[in-house]
Amino acid sequence: MYQKYSSLILLCLLFLNAYPQDQEKAILKTFHSISSHDLLNDATELSSAKYGGRLSGSPGYQAAALWVADRLKQASVKPGLNDGSYFQYFPNAYTDVLNPGSVTLLAGNNNPRKEYKFPDDYFPGSNSASGTVSGEIVYVGFGISAPELGYDDYKNVDVKGKILLMETGLPYIGNDSTLLKWEKYSYHRYKFQRAKELGAAGFLYVSKIANPNTSYLEGFVYAHIGETVAEELFDGTGRKYSETNAAIKKNIQPNSFVLNKKVQISASTKHFPDSRSCNVVGIIEGSDPKLKSEAIILGAHLDAVGSPGCLFPGALDNGSGSVDILAAAQALAASAVKPARTIIFIFFGGEECGLYGSSKSVQSPVWPKEKVVCMINLDMAGNGTGFRISNGKSHPDLMRPFADANEKYLHRDLISSETRVNFGRPRTDAAVFDKAGYRTLSLGTTGTVKPVYYHHPLDNTDALTPEIMEDAAKLLYLGILGLAGNKNISIQ
Ligand SMILES: [Zn+2]
């Protein structure tokens, strides 16, 4: 108890002592100017139909990128590219889904037996080819042929001309070095390629989320279905979908079979193979002559999943993180007390398509890697009552100014975790920076108070809690100011 109080008092003293009183007053003035009202307005803008769900590569995303760059400019946050531009481009093919299409269970005579409903039962494939395919359904588990691992979902089934019913992910669920051997089979793109190679006509993917991180293959039509539909398709086979799936994972043994049912999938899409997308990069030059050569990167993905069948607004994922860092950028730029180190803001494109934007960032860095203190990522930070800073326990020096600011001014629950080695494929922009050797923190929200509609049409602004977004921006403003001015932070 004593120790707790003494460290509390020490924390307050440290924070107060960090700035002279007049400076603290000026900082608090900017701090209080951050308002949930403005953050919600910005999230409403980015979630609106004019940006079409911000699918990376599409004109809607490009318009959102222009809007963000304009806001940075208004706030006097300078362009982050050497050529004086806010935009860092990279190739990004994309597919427009023109309407919801259809998924229909067929009777023996090929007449429709049941029309599934969008969006309750299925989502069209975000990278489906256009057209109609039909055929017998074959359940192929995870759709993996891994001879070196003694595992082949296709071993005892002929899938030529058939519609496959397939799981996402891997039958191996551990996170250890064995996962490394499975990693390449976890990619959607591998599964698509393998199914096409074997002559499948198309597939039903058991994962009802919109997902542009798949590949467009000529003539290959697919749709996403939920587990309820998968269970229904198993009716009459003498097996249960959930048990079959669980048994494959438990035994790491394939369990593929013909369902004796027919299905028809229709999709209406247009593919744009030669499109490009961009990161939006802004910069606030450090105020300290020495420390300004070192930078802190603040990132959030701006893209979402587009309009596959209807608008998917992407408010929480990741309109929230985008407007949080935009508000922090505005505050840091307006602050009378300037950050000593340089702050770089990156609104990533292509996250949902396969982490294209963050990969571009580490391949063509706008700041020398050896001069970057850390990268702080925000993804889905706008629903709840508290904060989580992942990796914070592994980097106490980076964590400290955020914990101090929360303790003194925000009083939110704040949890942090140690860096967890991930043996699987990277899933976030932060993971791309981790892999490239940067120190990273990820700020998210905890204590969810609204339902989370992940990659779903209902991920709109009703799914947000603006007060936690305001506090996330305030936490970033104070924490980054503290981090930028701390001379004792070691780089890398
Ligand atoms: Zn996201």
Side-chain angles (χ1 to χ4, degrees), residues 117-412:
K117 300 233 170 343
F118 168 79
D120 294 343
D121 300 327
Y122 80 95
F123 288 173
S126 298
N127 275 308
S128 178
S130 220
T132 299
V133 293
S134 59
E136 249 188 312
I137 307 173
V138 182
Y139 178 69
V140 293
F142 290 86
I144 291 170
S145 300
E148 77 283 14
L149 295 167
Y151 183 94
D152 189 358
D153 282 308
Y154 291 107
K155 196 172 167 197
N156 297 315
V157 285
D158 176 14
V159 299
K160 212 168 166 47
K162 306 284 168 59
I163 305 287
L164 311 186
L165 180 61
M166 194 191 292
E167 312 286 349
T168 63
L170 293 171
Y172 186 80
I173 53 168
N175 180 35
D176 52 32
S177 57
T178 305
L179 184 59
L180 288 174
K181 299 181 190 152
W182 287 91
E183 196 237 359
K184 65 180 174 190
Y185 302 109
S186 69
Y187 289 84
H188 305 297
R189 288 157 207 250
Y190 159 78
K191 297 183 182 212
F192 277 55
Q193 199 57 50
R194 183 69 184 140
K196 180 115 201 276
E197 251 167 43
L198 294 169
F203 66 68
L204 295 172
Y205 218 3
V206 191
S207 158
K208 214 190 78 184
I209 58 164
N211 187 357
N213 184 11
T214 52
S215 46
Y216 178 90
L217 300 175
E218 205 62 54
F220 199 77
V221 174
Y222 75 99
H224 294 269
I225 57 167
E227 291 187 11
T228 318
V229 173
E231 203 63 81
E232 202 177 298
L233 294 173
F234 266 57
D235 274 354
T237 65
R239 312 184 199 206
K240 285 226 164 299
Y241 165 73
S242 53
E243 289 168 9
T244 307
N245 166 286
I248 298 174
K249 288 194 277 204
K250 184 166 178 261
N251 308 319
I252 315 187
Q253 285 295 325
N255 200 347
S256 304
F257 70 105
V258 177
L259 265 72
N260 290 320
K261 284 206 173 78
K262 277 186 180 171
V263 73
Q264 177 178 293
I265 312 170
S266 277
S268 180
T269 63
K270 189 166 173 6
H271 186 58
F272 297 86
D274 302 318
S275 193
R276 64 177 188 166
S277 188
C278 63
N279 297 325
V280 185
V281 188
I283 189 164
I284 297 176
E285 206 181 298
S287 62
D288 182 276
K290 260 179 102 174
L291 288 178
K292 73 176 189 185
S293 67
E294 300 174 2
I296 295 163
I297 298 176
L298 188 55
H301 73 86
L302 176 64
D303 68 312
V305 299
S307 297
C310 68
L311 177 69
F312 285 53
L316 180 62
D317 184 12
N318 186 31
S320 63
S322 300
V323 303
D324 292 346
I325 73 164
L326 181 59
Q330 288 163 333
L332 286 161
S335 180
V337 177
K338 302 291 178 202
R341 288 188 172 88
T342 294
I343 317 295
I344 297 170
F345 304 90
I346 312 183
F347 299 79
F348 297 110
E351 193 265 359
E352 302 289 6
C353 317
L355 307 169
Y356 295 167
S358 46
S359 301
K360 176 72 185 177
S361 276
V362 300
Q363 282 154 17
S364 314
V366 296
W367 204 259
K369 187 188 149 210
E370 63 281 6
K371 291 279 184 188
V372 173
V373 174
C374 66
M375 185 269 194
I376 302 169
N377 193 50
L378 273 81
D379 199 347
M380 299 176 73
N383 174 0
T385 53
F387 297 119
R388 176 194 303 105
I389 298 186
S390 307
N391 294 359
K393 279 195 175 158
S394 300
H395 306 305
D397 57 333
L398 303 180
M399 176 73 191
R400 184 63 180 271
F402 295 95
D404 286 0
N406 184 58
E407 186 93 39
K408 188 158 183 345
Y409 298 107
L410 293 161
H411 321 292
R412 295 282 190 173

